Amino acid sequence: MALVYFSVGGNLYQNSPVKYDFIQDDVVEYSRPVMIKLNNNVGQYVRLQLYFDAKWIMISEVQFISGRQPKI
């Protein structure tokens, strides 16, 4: 599971984080990409809390993709 919190100034974070539940795979132990949609939240600071069911967790890269939203 992952909880993602956002903050504008870095001192106070929002009370309701983006929650992501990952389906556990007991068959294949290979690494895989995990993409979490941030639901258009805005923040200069991001706090990420990761919960995992193993002895180790490896994070190889973190990427944020953003852009201008089209005007409707």
Side-chain angles (χ1 to χ4, degrees):
M1 178 176 70
L3 297 175
V4 186
Y5 296 86
F6 299 90
S7 173
V8 175
N11 293 324
L12 299 174
Y13 286 83
Q14 67 186 35
N15 291 330
S16 57
V18 172
K19 183 178 178 183
Y20 178 79
D21 288 313
F22 189 75
I23 298 172
Q24 184 176 359
D25 185 358
D26 293 331
V27 178
V28 180
E29 293 186 2
Y30 300 117
S31 64
R32 67 204 74 188
V34 176
M35 293 184 224
I36 302 173
K37 293 187 179 186
L38 301 179
N39 303 330
N40 297 318
N41 284 286
V42 176
Q44 185 175 357
Y45 298 89
V46 177
R47 183 174 73 196
L48 180 63
Q49 292 181 340
L50 301 174
Y51 300 88
F52 55 98
D53 187 23
K55 290 183 181 180
W56 296 93
I57 184 172
M58 184 177 87
I59 302 171
S60 61
E61 63 182 80
V62 176
Q63 180 180 16
F64 294 93
I65 301 172
S66 64
R68 295 182 184 260
Q69 296 294 320
K71 293 184 179 183
I72 299 176

